[in-house]
């Protein structure tokens, strides 16, 4: 068995909820559009199909699409029997899919670095070794940031999360926000999660609720606009969300709606945390306003599952992410510990601190 097959086997034996894995000479993906109504696995044979799967949200979440950079370049190498031009073309195609989440382009650059100067069998071997390193590291980050974040959670806490920042958006344990929540639950804390449905793709209603049910964590579904009322009634103790990109000053890009929850949290003195990893901090990006926010097709707002939900011809807007300023963030949970303000200085320490 190859090293990557061993890794996938090991991940499966640990009971992880894998969003993507390699089987034979193809990739297998859990179809996240169909969840929770059906649990389907799609087969992807070509990098162009993987790029399409990322664009159309079959696979999504910053951690999971980050690992697509590793899987996709390895797929291109295997299928072309190690042609470096094919690997470079795969990198180009995948980078164009979704701009906001930084993990994808960072992972692709890391893979290209490992491939540089090699061709043929050695190219395949180099990419396989790098993919194993990246995938193992990302999973390790989930366990570590889960531990650090769980320490912030108190027995009895009622936690709001937005969108889906869980196992299928990451490497299989709990992604970012749900690693914190899952670890707190496993440590015996009696928590309750409020998951906001997340218009228009309903990642919260469909996928977060699906995972929370699987993990046996008590939860309640809210529509996105309910969080302010719930906070005003003292029903929420903390907010924990994931992150698609963190600027070097601590500004956070995450699923649209996050900022609205942060505004309500500030008004009601509810601590607001983002769970992330050092890999998601973009030190080349000084402020949130420098982050490119992806605008998606407005038909995703005017219809749901191809059923029109607004009058024909209605105009709609779909910025897929928003920016929460660092001043509204109580702490940034990472695999190296919880980073506190001032973020411009303290995030820099992530570059040097060992994983703890
Ligand atoms: C997913 C989304 C999630 C983040 C954060 O967006 O915004 O909240 O990815 O979670 P989409 P994580 O569904 O458009 O991919 O940090 O775990 O990725």
């Amino acid at each position: 068995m190859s090293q990557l097959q061993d890794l996938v086997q090991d991940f499966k034996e640990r009971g992880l909820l894998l969003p993507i894995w390699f089987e034979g000479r193809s990739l297998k993906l859990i179809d996240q559009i169909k969840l929770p109504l059906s649990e389907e696995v799609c087969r992807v044979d070509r990098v162009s199909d993987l790029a399409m799967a990322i664009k159309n949200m079959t696979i999504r979440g910053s951690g999971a699409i980050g690992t697509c950079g590793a899987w996709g370049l390895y797929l291109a190498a295997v299928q072309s029997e190690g042609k470096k031009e094919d690997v470079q073309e795969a990198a180009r195609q995948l980078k164009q899919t979704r701009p906001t989440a930084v993990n994808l382009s960072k992972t692709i650059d890391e893979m290209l670095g490992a491939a540089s100067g090699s061709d043929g069998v050695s190219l395949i071997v180099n990419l396989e070794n790098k993919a194993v390193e990246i995938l193992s590291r990302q999973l390790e980050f989930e366990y570590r940031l889960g531990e650090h974040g769980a320490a912030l959670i108190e027995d009895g806490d009622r936690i709001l999360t937005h969108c889906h920042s869980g196992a299928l958006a990451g490497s299989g344990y709990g992604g970012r926000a749900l690693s914190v929540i899952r670890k707190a639950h496993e440590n015996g804390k009696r928590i309750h999660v409020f998951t906001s449905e997340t218009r228009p793709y309903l990642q919260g209603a469909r996928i977060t609720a699906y995972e929370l049910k699987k993990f046996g964590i008590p939860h309640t579904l809210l529509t996105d606009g309910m969080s302010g009322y719930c906070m005003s009634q003292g029903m929420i103790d903390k907010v924990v969300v994931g992150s698609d990109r963190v600027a070097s000053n601590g500004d956070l890009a995450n699923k649209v709606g996050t900022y609205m929850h942060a505004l309500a949290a500030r008004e009601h003195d509810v601590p607001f945390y983002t769970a992330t990893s050092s890999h998601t901090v973009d030190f080349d990006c000084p402020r949130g306003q420098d982050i490119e926010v992806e605008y998606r097709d407005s038909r995703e707002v005017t219809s749901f599952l191809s059923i029109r939900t607004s009058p024909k011809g209605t105009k709609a807007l779909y910025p897929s992410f928003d920016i929460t300023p660092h001043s509204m963030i109580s702490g940034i949970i990472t695999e190296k510990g919880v980073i506190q303000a001032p973020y411009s200085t303290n995030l820099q320490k992530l570059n040097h601190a060992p994983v703890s």
Side-chain angles (χ1 to χ4, degrees):
M1 264 212 293
S2 74
Q3 275 196 72
L4 257 180
Q5 282 169 327
D6 280 347
L7 188 80
V8 170
Q9 186 63 25
D10 172 46
F11 280 11
K12 286 188 170 168
E13 281 167 11
R14 293 197 215 183
L16 298 171
L17 202 51
L18 296 182
I20 178 169
W21 64 95
F22 211 75
E23 213 172 276
R25 287 168 65 88
S26 315
L27 290 171
K28 295 288 175 77
L29 272 61
I30 300 285
D31 188 339
Q32 297 194 36
I33 300 171
K34 304 247 171 68
L35 286 175
L37 301 181
S38 66
E39 295 176 340
E40 289 181 29
V41 174
C42 334
R43 176 175 147 177
V44 165
D45 292 316
R46 293 178 311 187
V47 169
S48 55
D49 293 333
L50 180 62
M52 184 50 70
I54 296 172
K55 273 191 203 153
N56 71 18
M57 314 276 278
T58 303
I59 183 161
R60 44 144 302 283
S62 69
I65 61 175
T67 63
C68 285
W71 291 113
L73 266 55
Y74 179 65
L75 177 72
V78 168
Q79 301 222 321
S80 66
E81 291 173 356
K83 262 172 93 179
K84 61 175 180 252
E85 296 75 19
D86 286 32
V87 171
Q88 277 155 358
E89 172 55 22
R92 196 192 58 76
Q93 276 186 39
L94 291 174
K95 272 194 178 182
Q96 284 175 350
T97 52
R98 297 195 69 194
T100 306
V102 74
N103 293 63
L104 177 59
S105 58
K106 277 196 179 181
T107 304
I108 291 171
D109 289 341
E110 215 179 325
M111 289 291 279
L112 288 177
S116 102
S118 57
D119 216 345
V121 176
S122 67
L123 174 71
I124 300 174
V125 171
N126 288 343
L127 286 182
E128 178 171 15
N129 289 341
K130 186 46 94 176
V132 167
E133 183 191 320
I134 291 170
L135 296 163
S136 315
R137 181 186 70 202
Q138 292 304 108
L139 178 64
E140 190 56 28
F141 283 1
E142 291 186 12
Y143 291 129
R144 303 269 176 180
L145 72 90
E147 290 280 1
H148 290 299
L152 297 168
I153 307 295
E154 285 162 56
D155 191 32
D157 266 354
R158 296 150 306 168
I159 304 162
L160 173 75
T161 190
H162 183 62
C163 193
H164 167 251
S165 171
L168 290 171
S171 295
Y173 170 67
R176 279 76 174 278
L178 290 199
S179 285
V180 171
I181 286 166
R182 188 173 180 184
K183 194 70 206 163
H185 173 74
E186 286 172 356
N187 288 350
K189 292 183 179 162
R190 287 160 297 177
I191 55 173
H192 191 98
V193 179
F194 288 94
T195 174
S196 56
E197 69 175 349
T198 320
R199 275 283 291 149
Y201 248 78
L202 305 194
Q203 292 95 326
R206 296 187 301 103
I207 317 175
T208 303
Y210 167 84
E211 286 192 10
L212 289 168
K213 183 174 174 195
K214 246 188 201 313
F215 303 152
I217 303 173
H219 57 282
T220 300
L221 178 63
L222 303 177
T223 65
D224 298 352
M226 293 178 185
S227 65
Y229 175 74
C230 292
M231 288 186 207
S232 76
Q233 298 302 300
M235 292 162 65
I236 291 171
D237 301 299
K238 287 188 177 84
V239 181
V240 182
V241 298
S243 58
D244 287 274
R245 192 184 298 219
V246 175
S248 65
N249 70 346
D251 290 351
L252 166 70
N254 198 52
K255 178 55 58 193
V256 68
T258 302
Y259 175 48
M260 202 179 62
H261 295 313
L263 284 166
R266 184 173 64 177
E267 176 68 18
H268 297 290
D269 288 328
V270 173
F272 177 101
Y273 295 99
T274 182
T276 191
S277 78
S278 53
H279 201 240
T280 306
V281 181
D282 185 355
F283 290 104
D284 294 331
C285 178
R287 300 155 309 174
Q289 64 204 80
D290 302 313
I291 297 175
E292 182 187 350
V293 169
E294 167 190 354
Y295 273 68
R296 294 186 63 85
D297 191 327
S298 63
R299 281 173 298 186
E300 294 180 4
V301 176
T302 53
S303 61
F304 179 67
L305 292 176
S306 306
I307 300 168
R308 191 148 45 78
T309 53
S310 53
K312 210 170 177 178
T314 301
K315 289 201 176 81
L317 194 67
Y318 187 6
S320 188
F321 300 93
D322 59 26
I323 309 292
T324 300
H326 61 271
S327 57
M328 300 170 79
I329 300 175
S330 314
I332 299 179
I333 303 163
T334 76
E335 79 282 0
K336 293 180 178 175
V338 180
I339 311 294
Q340 309 281 354
Y343 297 113
S344 297
T345 329
N346 291 345
L347 280 172
Q348 292 293 336
K349 294 181 191 155
L350 286 177
N351 277 329
H352 310 295
V355 176
S356 60

